[in-house]
Amino acid sequence: MKTSFKIYKTIGLIGICIATLTACTDDLNITPNDDQTTLSADLFKNESAYKQVLAGIYANLALTGTDGAGSSNLKNIDAGTSQFGRVLLYVQTLSADEMIWSYENDPGTREIQRNLWTAQNPLLLGMFSRAHLSIALANNFLRETTDAKLDSRNVSAAVRNEMPAYRAEARLMRAMAYYYMMDIFGKANFTTEDDALNSQPQAYDRAQLFDYIETELKAIDTDLIASRQNQYGRADKSVAYMILAKMYLNSEVYINENHYADCLSYCEKIISGGYTLATNYLHNFMADNNTNSAINEIIFPIVSDGLTTQNYGPTTVMINGEVGSIEVNGTALGVSAGGWGGALRVRKQLANLFGPAFANDTRNTIISSGRSIEITDISDRDSGYILRKYSNAKSTGGYGVDQTFVDTDFPLFRLADVYLMYAEAHLRGGGGSLSTAVGYVNALRNRANNTNTITSGELTLDFILDERGRELHWEAHRRQDLIRYGKFTGGNYNWAWKGNGSNGISLPAHFKVYPIPTASMAANPNLTQNAGY
């Protein structure tokens, strides 16, 4: 069992009980299951509860309920369609040119990977609801930690000294939830701790969300714990900087404004925070990535533990899904030999990024032997290349504690992404240094044991998009990247099964955002549907 993040392991399950608080979720029209309700008045009699409730906000990124991997604390929403990291992987990766899911009877997956989604898709409802539950949990924590509430409970000086950082973390997690809502849906129900409970939420659009997130993240900077000084798995200044950098890199998509200089500036802040690349690329995706050299690279993970936080999250899905139907290679990955029998495969566009020059590149974990690169029938698990990027194995030998639920944390943000964002922001006119940008790209290639380093003349925007695919595939970035490059919708770049064509067809422009789930609009009349749906 992992021990590096005791918030998750010792009280994260207690903290997630807060997700059943009707009081903290009514303000966002979320209907929780309430069979394990914990009342705030009683809960906070114990001063350790403040850290427990903060843990609950983090736990909502990994867990779906309190009664095991299949339980859901969102009423009428299945755990398999609402685990934050898993659904984020689906909407950002499965919808693009990197991944195919074989079992199209699984709710919502066929429509996502064929770009046929509608407002009734259960995965979109799960994403919308889970993100809003993060917001509701943060709002509840902030309501319960005001000076007035702390005074009324005679909270000790020791706990009060921790409170500014705790509150800043809660605000950061709330801002991150709004960031994903802005990116994925372009809208959100908007509330803060200052809004009255049971009031109808406002509906914020992208411009309003962008302004709020930017203002909020800058406001909490002083109170956030310095980069790399917080407990593993908890957020610090660099997580806020990462969200800002990503917002600024995509600001022309979000608000039609150029913020590349701001993006580059925040990349520099992160890089100066003491992070270094893992010595081995694959350390980032192993069962001990909380203790091996990846701990120096991962800026923020979604924590996974095969014993105490069992869930069908992104790393459990990918590692079991990577096991080939022909190869039966699960043992080497630290799961059962057959895994999930060929659940996941690689679209040929990702495979084609790894040509002969990448034969020995450690980022190239594609298995092609005996397989066709083409997937003409999605249900044929023997076609299409497979991947072995993620594993439940440890860098020091041995495996995670369970052969289904893995110990591998999902690297939501890591330094390699920052290096590539710096290079792209520079090329888009954000300032900085060309030699520095080239150096960052070559650092990634050197780390991958790839001797094909580049010169300044080879650093182009198209090169960066391809290099992002090679470095960051299956890490929930690709849809966002393709939209920023103008290649997600339209027909100037087609991939296998885009728009439900085996060779890909054009997508309409309104597919740059997902539809607002029908059930979410029914709960809040202030929400309106995105154009085109």
Side-chain angles (χ1 to χ4, degrees):
M1 183 180 75
K2 291 186 177 181
T3 58
S4 59
F5 186 28
K6 293 178 180 169
I7 283 187
Y8 253 98
K9 309 316 173 202
T10 62
I11 58 179
L13 290 173
I14 300 173
I16 201 64
C17 291
I18 307 304
T20 60
L21 267 169
T22 300
C24 81
T25 54
D26 279 350
D27 58 345
L28 287 164
N29 288 300
I30 295 167
T31 305
N33 289 321
D34 58 359
D35 58 333
Q36 298 190 49
T37 300
T38 306
L39 299 177
S40 296
D42 293 330
L43 179 68
F44 289 108
K45 287 179 180 178
N46 185 336
E47 289 192 352
S48 65
Y50 293 101
K51 203 170 187 180
Q52 294 173 12
V53 177
L54 182 65
I57 302 172
Y58 287 101
N60 187 53
L61 301 179
L63 305 180
T64 55
T66 58
D67 296 321
S71 68
S72 176
N73 51 25
L74 295 172
K75 191 172 184 179
N76 299 323
I77 298 178
D78 183 78
T81 62
S82 66
Q83 201 278 345
F84 178 85
R86 177 177 182 171
V87 181
L88 181 67
L89 182 75
Y90 285 167
V91 300
Q92 299 283 37
T93 299
L94 190 62
S95 64
D97 61 351
E98 296 182 343
M99 176 186 285
I100 281 287
W101 180 254
S102 303
Y103 304 114
E104 292 198 295
N105 288 331
D106 284 6
T109 53
R110 180 181 189 275
E111 294 77 14
I112 294 294
Q113 71 180 5
R114 294 176 186 247
N115 313 108
L116 298 171
W117 53 75
T118 68
Q120 286 76 43
N121 189 286
L123 294 168
L124 299 183
L125 178 61
M127 185 79 243
F128 196 96
S129 301
R130 185 62 60 185
H132 279 86
L133 183 52
S134 284
I135 295 163
L137 291 169
N139 285 344
N140 182 64
F141 180 84
L142 293 166
R143 291 187 184 109
E144 295 297 333
T145 55
T146 62
D147 286 340
K149 286 285 182 75
L150 299 178
D151 287 342
S152 70
R153 297 170 185 149
N154 294 315
V155 172
S156 67
V159 172
R160 294 189 76 133
N161 288 338
E162 300 281 351
M163 204 55 65
Y166 285 1
R167 287 176 59 85
E169 286 180 55
R171 292 168 69 181
L172 174 51
M173 290 296 96
R174 179 176 64 186
M176 187 174 79
Y178 279 128
Y179 158 72
Y180 282 115
M181 291 300 300
M182 175 181 66
D183 180 75
I184 296 166
F185 296 102
K187 292 178 183 174
N189 293 321
F190 184 81
T191 65
T192 70
E193 72 277 17
D194 297 325
D195 291 300
L197 290 170
N198 302 315
S199 62
Q200 197 76 60
Q202 300 177 69
Y204 266 30
D205 62 19
R206 266 186 167 166
Q208 291 169 304
L209 289 169
F210 189 99
D211 181 66
Y212 167 77
I213 299 164
E214 179 183 38
T215 302
E216 182 78 344
L217 292 178
K218 290 180 177 180
I220 63 177
D221 183 64
T222 301
D223 289 331
L224 285 171
I225 292 175
S227 298
R228 304 204 66 212
Q229 298 303 307
N230 211 345
Q231 287 176 280
Y232 176 84
R234 284 175 60 187
D236 57 26
K237 289 180 185 290
S238 284
V239 178
Y241 299 161
M242 190 77 177
I243 296 170
L244 285 165
K246 285 193 163 292
M247 285 174 52
Y248 290 140
L249 186 65
N250 292 281
S251 62
E252 287 192 313
V253 173
Y254 299 149
I255 58 173
N256 199 31
E257 292 181 7
N258 179 328
H259 283 276
Y260 297 118
D262 293 319
C263 172
L264 192 141
S265 174
Y266 275 93
C267 287
E268 290 177 328
K269 286 178 179 286
I270 298 167
I271 293 167
S272 67
Y275 295 94
T276 57
L277 294 177
T279 57
N280 184 319
Y281 174 75
L282 293 177
H283 282 184
N284 289 295
F285 316 104
M286 301 186 78
D288 60 347
N289 59 357
N290 65 316
T291 57
N292 67 28
S293 70
I295 200 169
N296 299 313
E297 179 171 351
I298 295 175
I299 295 167
F300 187 66
I302 297 177
V303 175
S304 180
D305 186 286
L307 182 63
T308 60
T309 61
Q310 292 187 350
N311 66 88
Y312 291 102
T315 50
T316 287
V317 168
M318 286 188 287
I319 295 169
N320 284 279
E322 285 174 341
V323 180
S325 53
I326 303 169
E327 296 77 6
V328 192
N329 58 315
T331 300
L333 297 176
V335 293
S336 64
W340 292 351
L344 288 174
R345 284 161 290 142
V346 171
R347 301 198 202 211
K348 69 177 181 180
Q349 284 71 28
L350 174 58
N352 286 337
L353 290 179
F354 292 101
F358 298 91
N360 298 315
D361 192 306
T362 55
R363 299 173 299 182
N364 181 4
T365 64
I366 290 173
I367 298 174
S368 59
S369 178
R371 289 179 165 266
S372 166
I373 195 172
E374 301 285 349
I375 301 175
T376 56
D377 177 358
I378 290 178
S379 66
D380 178 9
R381 294 167 292 142
D382 295 345
S383 66
Y385 295 169
I386 62 173
L387 198 70
R388 53 183 179 187
K389 175 172 177 173
Y390 291 86
S391 79
N392 193 33
K394 297 180 179 180
S395 61
T396 55
Y399 302 97
V401 297
D402 191 271
Q403 285 191 301
T404 296
F405 300 105
V406 304
D407 282 353
T408 309
D409 298 341
F410 182 69
L412 191 65
F413 301 139
R414 61 185 180 93
L415 181 64
D417 189 4
V418 183
Y419 281 1
L420 292 168
M421 287 197 294
Y422 179 103
E424 183 179 340
H426 169 75
L427 290 175
R428 293 186 184 274
S433 162
L434 176 59
S435 62
T436 299
V438 171
Y440 287 150
V441 171
N442 284 336
L444 299 179
R445 293 206 159 190
N446 288 330
R447 190 263 297 273
N449 297 318
N450 190 327
T451 59
N452 296 288
T453 54
I454 66 166
T455 64
S456 59
E458 294 172 294
L459 187 67
T460 66
L461 285 173
D462 285 343
F463 170 89
I464 289 293
L465 180 61
D466 287 350
E467 197 72 1
R468 286 185 67 81
R470 287 183 279 263
E471 178 71 31
L472 300 167
H473 57 280
W474 288 27
E475 295 183 52
H477 301 296
R478 192 60 173 176
R479 166 191 161 272
Q480 184 186 80
D481 291 345
L482 292 177
I483 290 172
R484 185 173 66 256
Y485 273 77
K487 293 189 174 185
F488 188 75
T489 57
N492 64 339
Y493 172 54
N494 292 330
W495 56 85
W497 295 103
K498 177 183 177 181
N500 201 30
S502 59
N503 294 314
I505 60 173
S506 177
L507 287 182
H510 68 270
F511 271 54
K512 291 176 186 176
V513 292
Y514 285 99
I516 306 301
T518 301
S520 302
M521 288 198 301
N524 181 13
N526 291 329
L527 278 173
T528 57
Q529 188 55 272
N530 287 323
Y533 290 107

